[in-house]
Amino acid sequence: MIYLYVGIGGFIGASLRYLVGVLLTGPDQWFPYSTLAVNLSGSFILAWFTIGLVERYALSAEWKAALGTGLVGSYTTFSTLSMDAVLLYERGDLFLSSLYVFISIGGGLVLSLLGFHFGKRRNAAC
Amino acid sequence: MLIFKLLLVGLGGFCGAILRYAVSRWIENRKSSTLPTATLIVNIAGSFLLGILIGLDLTKTWFLLCGTGILGAFTTFSTFKLEAIQLHINKRWKGFIYYVLASYFFGICLAYTGFKLGRWFML
């Protein structure tokens, strides 16, 4: 049954990711900022959700799987990130490709850490 | 036709998320290492497969279902970062550095290999 919850979360998460892509993709796509936007925001949300909401509201395993693993897990993606870096490199933009990977590494860690502390602080306040 | 595209991606996301969950659980039940290997394996395998798909130059419809949907949801960035942060918070520096570097290095190398492989099939 938990598989179904993860699947439903995945349905919503992947659709949301595609929507953000549609909204953020211009005709002159020189930099894959839609993948970046999705991944960075999702890193913050997952850390905040896992540390803040799950513990605070003692959410069940089903909810945790549906929202965390399914929805946010599918909203963010790693395969597109890898391919974005490869395609930038193939286009001859080694600098942009490196910058993209660098922002993903650093930005993702910082936002995940922020979400973690944000969730912890909210917990302490209760 | 945005609603049709959303449904395609959603359907793929449904399958991809279930696959990720199943594979992760299967790996976690079998491994002895304390590193988050499940997410690592899922992410680098998915990067390789997406490379092949893009190299093959599928039609837009197929790519929305298999690429954006299935493989997009099968791999994940948020869980990967959260696991890395948890290693950092538990002061397991070696594991943290190893996990982050291995994910990006193998993910990008395998995406590149898959891409070239897909292109080669198209010749």
Side-chain angles (χ1 to χ4, degrees):
Chain A
M1 199 57 201
I2 205 156
Y3 284 86
L4 183 67
Y5 296 130
V6 170
I8 294 169
F11 186 101
I12 300 167
S15 309
L16 275 176
R17 172 162 39 84
Y18 180 67
L19 262 185
V20 171
V22 170
L23 292 173
L24 288 185
T25 306
D28 53 333
Q29 191 63 350
W30 61 277
F31 197 66
Y33 37 80
S34 75
T35 313
L36 213 49
V38 158
N39 279 344
L40 297 184
S41 57
S43 296
F44 177 85
I45 295 167
L46 186 75
W48 169 68
F49 166 78
T50 307
I51 307 303
L53 295 185
V54 172
E55 291 182 10
R56 190 158 135 212
Y57 297 108
L59 288 180
S60 67
E62 282 85 1
W63 276 105
K64 199 181 160 186
L67 295 173
T69 309
L71 204 152
V72 189
S74 302
Y75 170 67
T76 61
T77 181
F78 192 82
S79 50
T80 310
L81 182 163
S82 301
M83 264 329 284
D84 285 343
V86 168
L87 291 173
L88 281 171
Y89 170 77
E90 282 282 295
R91 218 172 58 186
D93 279 329
L94 181 60
F95 172 74
L96 278 186
S97 178
S98 310
L99 182 73
Y100 178 68
V101 172
F102 187 74
I103 296 174
S104 296
I105 297 178
L109 288 172
V110 167
L111 279 158
S112 192
L113 198 57
L114 275 175
F116 190 92
H117 286 302
F118 190 72
K120 266 216 157 9
R121 228 194 24 234
R122 289 287 295 269
N123 275 350
C126 295
Chain B
M1 287 315 282
L2 181 65
I3 197 76
F4 175 67
K5 289 174 176 170
L6 277 176
L7 279 175
L8 265 180
V9 173
L11 193 67
F14 181 89
C15 303
I18 289 178
L19 270 173
R20 171 162 41 87
Y21 187 67
V23 170
S24 296
R25 278 184 58 164
W26 187 81
I27 293 171
E28 275 162 10
N29 287 340
R30 268 159 192 75
K31 62 155 194 176
S32 52
S33 95
T34 50
L35 274 181
T37 13
T39 311
L40 178 71
I41 291 170
V42 159
N43 278 344
I44 60 180
S47 298
F48 177 66
L49 293 171
L50 188 73
I52 294 179
L53 279 192
I54 292 183
L56 286 175
D57 220 7
L58 296 176
T59 58
K60 188 122 184 77
T61 309
W62 277 109
F63 187 77
L64 283 177
L65 178 71
C66 305
T68 312
I70 298 179
L71 290 172
F74 179 63
T75 59
T76 182
F77 184 85
S78 48
T79 308
F80 156 56
K81 289 295 172 184
L82 182 63
E83 284 166 344
I85 286 301
Q86 280 164 337
L87 287 171
H88 158 83
I89 282 170
N90 295 329
K91 297 197 168 34
R92 296 182 47 209
W93 311 118
K94 223 169 133 181
F96 168 78
I97 288 169
Y98 172 79
Y99 183 49
V100 172
L101 286 184
S103 294
Y104 281 98
F105 178 77
F106 291 115
I108 293 170
C109 282
L110 281 167
Y112 185 77
T113 310
F115 178 67
K116 290 294 177 195
L117 209 63
R119 276 285 146 96
W120 178 76
F121 272 121
M122 293 301 283
L123 290 176

